Amino acid sequence: MSATITTVEPTPSAPASGGRGLLRRFTRPVAAALSGVLLYASFPPRTLWWLALPGFALLAWSLHGRRPRAALGLGYLAGLGFLLPLLVWTGAEVGPGPWLALVAIEALFIALTAMGIAAVSRLPVWPVWAAAVWILGEAVRARVPFGGFPWGKIAFGQADSVFLPLAAVGGTPVLGFAVVLCGFGLYEAVRQVLAYRRTRKVPRCAAAVAALTVLVPVVAALAALPLVDDSAEDGTATVAAIQGNVPRAGLEFNAQRRAVLDNHVRRTLQLADDVKAGKEPQPDFVLWPENSSDIDPYRNPDARDVIDQAARAIGVPISVGAVVTPDTGPLRNTQILWDPERGPTATYDKRQIQPFGEYLPLRSLVRMISPGYADMVRRDFGRGTEPGVFDLAGTEVGLATCYEAAFDWAVRDTVTHGAQLISVPSNNATFDRSEMTYQQLAMSRVRAVEHSRTVIVPVTSGVSAIIQPDGRITEKTGMFTPGALVAEVPLRSSLTPATRLGTLPEGLLAAVALGGLGWATARSVRGRRNAAAG
């Protein structure tokens, strides 16, 4: 008796099928991470603002119709792709630990936002709900934890974009919403085109939604152009911004704080000589950057003397950025109005101080993880309580110190308290030659359009700039070079819709997002009940 053994060879298609399955498994994660990279690439110093649109289109493709757990993971990958390169400067002098920890936390907000986007992606007119969910995520991230971290708001990458006029309509929430809506609408338009190619049918309503979500933001931006105005409603002022430079980049420059002060005094004295020689016009006032005097001039007569010397030489008030060190209590990051005759008069204490930089939350925990870093921030800074508006030779100048420029309220309330011009004194020396200074400069350009004000950015080491109310930079310095920018700039007192409306646009968009999430949840619950009943 013989047996016949039959050998079954694997079909040639099996390995290919497995390969295609593996490819499909990784396609969406790769796309999600790439969407984040595109969002990063849309930010300064690059002028590729339009990359945000395919970035959001790709994110929408990754998330559309996904289940919550998958959306959470995909959103986290998108957050890492976006924030890892965007915030690399946070580890410039302290190593990768704080940078990676910050990104890990902030990317979680984007992951949770992605879950919401996936949930509303099954609703009619889903790009509107999804864009509102993104803005809700930004609003939360700008408030928690430790006062929030709004760096990386999509609006801050749009200083060169066609959407910029919308900042004057409703501030950064409306500007960001328009960009995100257009990106999601772009994906929906492609999706409907592909559906038509397959079936030769597309519902008119779906086609209209796809078209309108792309076109309406662009048309709205064009309609908002008349709000962008750089005319001199209240005349002009001649302003000087001093960049004294630092002895060297990095945290150790604080050990050489007298040299930093002397640099700003020296550059101001040089400007005074240039004015006397007719090389530069006489400024009405002078703006020094944050930390231009890390020596407390109230406690150190030598610091007071050299600042007095600079003020008398130039003959006009100077806004001096100083670290004030009272005997007890927290330090103060203060702007001091220094009169050439009377010396220090008015002050403004920075209100939005930087966690883990100017003060150390969870100090005992941080000390366990990094004793050296905890010792570096030995004494916390305290928060100011009042908006900063200086009367500088008859010009009302609003003050938003460095990190505050990222917070909508911190800039807005200087304008509602009468500022005709905004100053953003900053110190970027601790971040070396990174992209940080360009990212912050873009924020100031958006703020200029948002509130229709000239914005002056005096920085210790670059880039200092003079920004017109329409967001144009008309003068700027190089990085880590001393300089003085002197320009006649327009003064304005009218209020844009964004200034008048305050937080209302953001609140309305948050309400839309919550409404969409509620609707999506109700539909999901109803669907599960119907499935169980069937």
Side-chain angles (χ1 to χ4, degrees):
M1 183 176 178
S2 63
T4 302
I5 300 174
T6 303
T7 303
V8 179
E9 297 291 337
T11 61
S13 61
S17 177
R20 284 196 298 269
L22 188 64
L23 181 63
R24 283 197 298 270
R25 179 178 297 179
F26 285 99
T27 297
R28 288 187 189 274
V30 170
L34 180 58
S35 72
V37 173
L38 289 174
L39 295 183
Y40 157 69
S42 72
F43 273 66
R46 295 158 296 278
T47 57
L48 305 175
W49 59 268
W50 51 270
L51 284 178
L53 302 182
F56 278 110
L58 197 56
L59 181 64
W61 179 80
S62 302
L63 298 176
H64 193 272
R66 296 295 97 188
R67 294 181 180 275
R69 179 187 288 184
L72 182 70
L74 292 168
Y76 200 76
L77 288 173
L80 293 178
F82 177 31
L83 297 177
L84 271 172
L86 186 79
L87 302 179
V88 67
W89 50 266
T90 59
E93 296 297 332
V94 294
W99 162 51
L100 295 174
L102 175 64
V103 170
I105 293 169
E106 294 299 315
L108 184 59
F109 286 92
I110 294 179
L112 294 172
T113 300
M115 287 180 67
I117 291 171
V120 301
S121 68
R122 296 180 175 89
L123 298 178
V125 201
W126 73 265
V128 175
W129 306 108
V133 168
W134 181 274
I135 299 305
L136 174 61
E138 287 192 339
V140 173
R141 194 161 66 88
R143 289 166 172 81
V144 293
F146 312 121
F149 188 73
W151 216 281
K153 269 190 171 185
I154 290 303
F156 294 148
Q158 298 295 305
D160 292 294
S161 92
V162 297
F163 298 105
L164 181 61
L166 290 170
V169 176
T172 59
V174 168
L175 172 54
F177 176 77
V179 175
V180 181
L181 177 61
C182 195
F184 286 165
L186 184 63
Y187 164 69
E188 179 63 9
V190 171
R191 195 168 77 95
Q192 294 301 330
V193 168
L194 293 177
Y196 177 77
R197 290 179 63 181
R198 286 194 306 269
T199 65
R200 295 298 169 180
K201 287 183 183 179
V202 171
R204 290 183 180 180
C205 181
V209 166
L212 289 174
T213 50
V214 173
L215 294 176
V216 168
V218 177
V219 172
L222 295 175
L225 276 172
L227 295 174
V228 181
D229 187 356
D230 64 352
S231 62
E233 292 177 333
D234 302 331
T236 62
T238 301
V239 58
I242 300 297
Q243 177 170 300
N245 201 15
V246 298
R248 65 172 179 265
L251 291 176
E252 287 303 313
F253 91 93
N254 282 313
Q256 307 172 64
R257 54 191 185 274
R258 179 54 196 260
V260 175
L261 172 58
D262 288 343
N263 284 353
H264 286 84
V265 170
R266 185 180 303 111
R267 193 61 191 85
T268 305
L269 294 176
Q270 182 181 338
L271 174 61
D273 290 340
D274 290 343
V275 169
K276 290 177 183 177
K279 296 179 182 178
E280 293 283 4
Q282 172 67 54
D284 296 312
F285 53 90
V286 176
L287 302 173
W288 283 9
E290 177 189 35
N291 298 131
S292 47
S293 178
D294 274 342
I295 301 174
D296 185 345
Y298 296 110
R299 299 173 64 90
N300 296 274
D302 57 333
R304 180 173 181 135
D305 289 344
V306 295
I307 298 173
D308 269 333
Q309 179 188 4
R312 287 195 300 269
I314 197 65
V316 297
I318 303 176
S319 179
V320 176
V323 173
V324 176
T325 56
D327 290 331
T328 60
L331 304 172
R332 296 286 175 178
N333 188 334
T334 300
Q335 288 290 311
I336 305 173
L337 197 167
W338 207 284
D339 186 85
E341 302 296 331
R342 295 177 293 158
T345 56
T347 61
Y348 166 66
D349 293 334
K350 185 177 181 181
R351 294 170 293 162
Q352 187 67 44
I353 56 176
Q354 184 180 353
F356 302 99
E358 292 173 302
Y359 77 102
L360 199 58
L362 310 174
R363 182 176 289 273
S364 58
L365 177 61
V366 173
R367 184 173 295 281
M368 290 173 58
I369 299 171
S370 177
Y373 185 74
D375 290 339
M376 197 183 309
V377 188
R378 294 179 182 176
R379 189 174 175 185
D380 290 341
F381 281 80
R383 299 176 185 272
T385 58
E386 299 294 327
V389 181
F390 283 172
D391 183 340
L392 289 171
T395 298
E396 297 295 312
V397 178
L399 301 165
T401 304
C402 196
Y403 185 55
E404 292 183 320
F407 293 82
D408 294 347
W409 63 268
V411 181
R412 183 191 306 118
D413 67 3
T414 68
V415 179
T416 57
H417 280 76
Q420 300 167 294
L421 175 150
I422 298 169
S423 174
V424 183
S426 301
N427 172 24
N428 297 337
T430 54
F431 303 115
D432 204 3
R433 296 181 179 273
S434 69
E435 294 181 357
M436 182 270 187
T437 191
Y438 299 104
Q439 294 170 9
Q440 190 177 56
L441 191 60
M443 291 179 194
S444 295
R445 294 179 63 194
V446 173
R447 299 303 184 197
V449 174
E450 181 179 8
H451 301 293
S452 195
R453 294 292 188 273
T454 299
V455 177
I456 311 298
V457 185
V459 184
T460 51
S461 56
V463 174
S464 298
I466 292 175
I467 304 168
Q468 299 297 316
D470 60 3
R472 289 178 300 118
I473 296 175
T474 52
E475 292 191 39
K476 65 179 180 179
T477 66
M479 293 184 71
F480 290 97
T481 56
L485 303 176
V486 185
E488 184 179 8
V489 298
L491 303 178
R492 296 178 58 81
S493 57
S494 62
L495 302 182
T496 63
T499 309
R500 294 179 186 276
L501 293 171
T503 60
L504 182 60
E506 186 178 56
L508 290 175
L509 289 170
V512 170
L514 292 173
L517 291 169
W519 185 10
T521 301
R523 283 178 51 143
S524 177
V525 169
R526 195 162 51 244
R528 286 198 297 269
R529 285 176 179 171
N530 291 340

